Structure formats: structure tokens, C-alpha cells
Amino acid sequence: MENRCSQNKIIRLIKANESIVQTREDIEEEVTGFYQQLLSSSASELPTINPAIVRDGLMINRQQQLQLIAEITKEEIHQVLKGINDNKAPGCDGFNALFFKKDWPVVGDTITYVVMEFFASSNMYQLINCTTVTLVTKVKSPSKIIEYMPISCCTILYKIISYKE
């Protein structure tokens, strides 16, 4: 157990200038600085929408339009849940897909209500729209922040609502 816990902690990092940081505060500063720089960089040129493609491109027919605005059913919500991998990391609520699948007879009506309420009102409860970001190692013994990959752990309800075929 101690070995597993030590593997789940970043004990030291080598910065870009090759200096080593070991204190919690310095490691936090290195990680935060790395992602702030990465996320604050911008492209020199942004792609634009070509009006000719929009005007002359494929159009959806009336049946497809109606499908886009059709109410979601309890069966569709349950099917989306069934399609979520049991081993996906749980979100900040701590519940994984397997919990909801096994307890569907108990929680199914509530989940259905919450999902349908979102599509009716466009309001998402803050507890559903909660994401935990964690770092997963890309290599066996990482020493630099670039050797970690961030993953987002969203709640199952968020995954159901945001499902896209």
C-alpha cells in the first residue's frame, strides 16, 4: 500500500532549466506554470469558416431536424449509460458507471429526471459540471512535467448529458 501511494505522488521534478524542485510548493508552482504557459499560448492564425461551403454544403432534411429537437427518452439515457466503460475513472462525486448500472432500478428515475431537466432548461447543476484533473504518467519513471498527461475525470451524469454518437 505504501509503495502504491508513493507511486501516486510527484516527489521531485526537473525543470526546463535542469534545476530540481522537491518541495510541495515548488512542484505545484512548476506544474501550474507549465500548464499556464501551455494554455496561454495562441495560434498566429485561426481557421475561418468558408461561407461557400456552408451555403453549398450538405443540408439536413426535415426528419433529421425533428430528430435533433426530439425529447430524449429514459431508454436512450439508459443506453448511453450502458455504453460508458465500467472502468472509467469516477468524477469528483466518486461514483463510476458500474455503480449507476448496478443500481439503475433505484437511481434510474432520478438520473432520467436530471438529464431531461437539463435538456429542457439548459441549466446544469454545479455538482454535475464538476471535473477533477489528474496527471497520469506517460513513461515508467517520470522526472519532468512533460512526461505526465492530464486527464479529466467528469461525473457520470455529465458524461451522459454530453454523449455524442
Side-chain angles (χ1 to χ4, degrees):
M1 179 81 156
E2 285 180 19
N3 187 34
R4 174 92 181 191
C5 285
S6 69
Q7 289 176 341
N8 290 336
K9 291 182 181 176
I10 298 175
I11 300 186
R12 70 185 204 130
L13 284 174
I14 300 172
K15 295 172 68 166
N17 66 7
E18 299 298 321
S19 64
I20 297 173
V21 292
Q22 294 185 15
T23 68
R24 178 185 173 109
E25 293 80 15
D26 290 343
I27 291 171
E28 284 179 10
E29 186 178 314
E30 175 65 9
V31 172
T32 303
F34 175 81
Y35 285 105
Q36 281 178 339
Q37 182 202 2
L38 185 67
L39 296 172
S40 66
S41 61
S42 61
S44 59
E45 189 176 308
L46 294 174
T48 59
I49 296 173
N50 184 336
I53 292 173
V54 173
R55 183 184 60 247
D56 302 331
L58 296 174
M59 301 288 222
I60 62 174
N61 61 38
R62 183 66 179 152
Q63 181 182 0
Q64 292 168 324
Q65 291 172 357
L66 293 173
Q67 286 177 325
L68 288 172
I69 61 171
E71 266 195 46
I72 295 172
T73 65
K74 183 175 182 175
E75 292 75 29
E76 287 175 303
I77 294 168
H78 194 200
Q79 286 302 332
V80 169
L81 174 63
K82 287 179 179 178
I84 298 173
N85 188 313
D86 292 346
N87 295 323
K88 289 283 187 180
C92 33
D93 60 4
F95 297 109
N96 61 16
L98 184 61
F99 166 81
F100 290 104
K101 290 175 186 179
K102 294 235 181 224
D103 289 322
W104 185 256
V106 176
V107 300
D109 288 337
T110 304
I111 291 172
T112 301
Y113 172 79
V114 169
V115 172
M116 288 179 158
E117 176 68 21
F118 167 76
F119 284 105
S121 70
S122 299
N123 292 322
M124 185 179 293
Y125 298 109
Q126 188 173 359
L127 294 174
I128 295 171
N129 192 13
C130 167
T131 302
T132 302
V133 177
T134 189
L135 297 174
V136 176
T137 60
K138 294 182 191 177
V139 298
K140 187 171 174 105
S141 297
S143 60
K144 298 179 180 179
I145 189 59
I146 196 141
E147 296 173 331
Y148 290 88
M149 174 179 55
I151 62 165
S152 301
C153 301
C154 305
T155 65
I156 296 300
L157 281 168
Y158 185 88
K159 291 175 185 178
I160 292 171
I161 289 170
S162 63
Y163 175 76
K164 180 180 131 186
E165 278 190 72

